[in-house]
Amino acid sequence: VFDGTCESVLSASATVVVRALPTADVIAGPDLCLVGDAEFRIVGTENADVTYSIDGGASTVVTLDGAGTSTVIVPGVTVDSEITLSKVSDGTCEALFSKTATVVVRSLPVATVTAGPDICVGNDGQFIITGTADAEVTYSIDEGTSAVVTLDGTGNAVVTAPGITSASEVVLSRVFDNFCESPLNESATVNLLPSPIANVVAGPDLC
């Protein structure tokens, strides 16, 4: 550098740093049965501020921890709940985007039972169970040991009480669809038909 009289030899430099944009993503927690707390896990740049909204509501900001994570809880949801991330900022740079995740609220499985026709003593009683397709239904016959039957793809199954000698009752106690379960107290009874009778009367004595 020279000021017209003196000069100095310099060695100086400056650098403009190009910083990577902060990032964020979101992962939905498990589905819920009928009602519960929806959980969303946000992951991204450590200590970044992430702007999000729930089900199209007002925007909220959460700060990720030193590991780059944060959990958002939505209490008492009864229908599917969706989170949308819209912005992430690390204090220097920010990125705008739209990322979503949904927690699904499932309906509880159902099952009912209908008795087949009344039968003659010693025949097999039948019960028709209907409900959620492919669900497992726990039942007992005449207060005996519990058993499980799986409904078919149309939501039907037939349970047989073999060789009954009195009215027979089936009670359903539980239904499970491999995710949600529901307690039951459904029952049906197959009754016995009256047994036919016949009498014989002797004619008069003969000589």
Side-chain angles (χ1 to χ4, degrees):
V1 61
F2 177 62
D3 65 1
T5 303
C6 300
E7 68 175 344
S8 296
V9 177
L10 300 177
S11 177
S13 63
T15 302
V16 174
V17 177
V18 179
R19 299 172 60 97
L21 291 177
T23 62
D25 204 350
V26 61
I27 303 165
D31 292 352
L32 303 174
C33 293
L34 193 61
V35 64
D37 296 344
E39 181 176 310
F40 302 94
R41 183 169 179 262
I42 301 174
V43 296
T45 302
E46 297 87 342
N47 305 309
D49 292 331
V50 179
T51 302
Y52 70 92
S53 62
I54 301 292
D55 299 324
S59 293
T60 304
V61 176
V62 64
T63 300
L64 305 187
D65 62 20
T69 65
S70 183
T71 300
V72 174
I73 303 293
V74 185
V77 300
T78 57
V79 296
D80 295 356
S81 185
E82 181 183 69
I83 190 171
T84 301
L85 308 187
S86 57
K87 184 174 75 170
V88 57
S89 172
D90 64 3
T92 301
C93 299
E94 70 176 19
L96 303 178
F97 52 84
S98 179
K99 293 185 178 180
T100 63
T102 302
V103 170
V104 175
V105 179
R106 296 174 178 247
S107 299
L108 293 180
V110 297
T112 59
V113 60
T114 304
D118 293 347
I119 59 174
C120 297
V121 64
N123 288 345
D124 295 344
Q126 287 195 330
F127 302 89
I128 300 91
I129 301 175
T130 59
T132 302
D134 304 312
E136 296 178 350
V137 179
T138 302
Y139 69 94
S140 62
I141 298 177
D142 298 326
E143 299 183 350
T145 302
S146 293
V148 176
V149 64
T150 300
L151 306 186
D152 62 21
T154 63
N156 292 282
V158 175
V159 171
T160 299
I164 66 174
T165 57
S166 61
S168 185
E169 181 185 53
V170 159
V171 176
L172 309 185
S173 58
R174 175 181 177 266
V175 59
F176 176 61
D177 66 359
N178 291 319
F179 191 88
C180 298
E181 70 173 306
S182 182
L184 300 174
N185 187 18
E186 300 280 339
S187 63
T189 301
V190 170
N191 294 302
L192 294 182
L193 296 169
S195 297
I197 58 174
N199 292 318
V200 61
V201 179
D205 294 347
L206 301 175
C207 295

